Amino acid sequence: MANSTGDYLAEVCEMQIRVTSPAFNNEDFIPSKYTCEGKDIMPPLAWEGVPENTLSLVLIVDDPDAPSGTFTHAIFFNIEPQKRGIEEGESPGVAGVNDFGRLGYGGPCPPKGHGPHRYYFKVYALDISSLNLKSGAHKSAVEKAIKGHILAYGELIGKYERK
């Protein structure tokens, strides 16, 4: 079951995690507060359907509509398995480096006039407690580390456009 971004890691999952946000609905526009035109903070998220045998979680936020290819806005790993969401502005677990070159979250900031972009907030439940990666790990290292360890997956899609 690959998601619409062609995420090969999600193809191996049998269970789905339901990811939601009180700030926006799936496929709706993300409020500017959470973008480069606002406070540029992580929106609040919630998730349910995490398997009981989950030992850690990973959260990746990316934009497959970026002009140069998929652009990563956030990577968090080694998130406690009992966690069922994040508060506004929170940085859960260990932060990887995003494609802005910063740790943690960088909000949507598509080129002006490029049209609406989609932002995938992806949650992975893993059967391992630690990825054995350090803060600042890149998405490719995180994806390599979680391959073969995904118990369940879910995503929330938000949109944003700069005019």
Side-chain angles (χ1 to χ4, degrees):
M1 100 184 107
N3 70 19
S4 56
T5 63
D7 190 340
Y8 70 93
L9 294 171
E11 293 176 6
V12 298
C13 299
E14 294 180 14
M15 301 179 75
Q16 281 289 317
I17 297 171
R18 183 171 178 259
V19 184
T20 60
S21 175
F24 62 96
N25 292 322
N26 191 47
E27 305 266 351
D28 280 351
F29 279 84
I30 299 168
S32 62
K33 175 181 186 177
Y34 305 108
T35 74
C36 68
E37 296 182 302
K39 292 185 176 182
D40 205 18
I41 58 173
M42 184 74 154
L45 299 173
W47 49 80
E48 58 186 42
V50 174
E52 286 185 25
N53 56 337
T54 298
L55 298 179
S56 70
L57 299 165
V58 169
L59 171 63
I60 296 175
V61 182
D62 56 28
D63 167 11
D65 302 318
S68 60
T70 300
F71 190 93
T72 302
H73 286 263
I75 303 166
F76 297 103
F77 56 94
N78 296 349
I79 301 169
E80 295 293 326
Q82 68 275 10
K83 198 157 183 58
R84 292 300 177 257
I86 59 171
E87 299 295 322
E88 179 180 278
E90 183 180 354
S91 294
V94 179
V97 68
N98 60 38
D99 285 343
F100 292 110
R102 302 186 310 249
L103 290 177
Y105 178 78
C109 198
K112 287 185 177 182
H114 199 256
H117 283 216
R118 296 166 296 155
Y119 297 87
Y120 287 74
F121 294 76
K122 302 181 285 190
V123 177
Y124 299 88
L126 307 179
D127 66 0
I128 53 176
S129 60
S130 174
L131 296 188
N132 293 320
L133 297 172
K134 294 182 180 180
S135 176
H138 288 271
K139 181 181 170 184
S140 59
V142 172
E143 287 181 335
K144 183 178 179 184
I146 69 176
K147 191 172 183 181
H149 295 286
I150 302 168
L151 298 170
Y153 167 83
E155 67 187 23
L156 171 67
I157 302 168
K159 298 176 185 175
Y160 195 71
E161 177 178 13
R162 291 174 68 207
K163 296 181 181 183

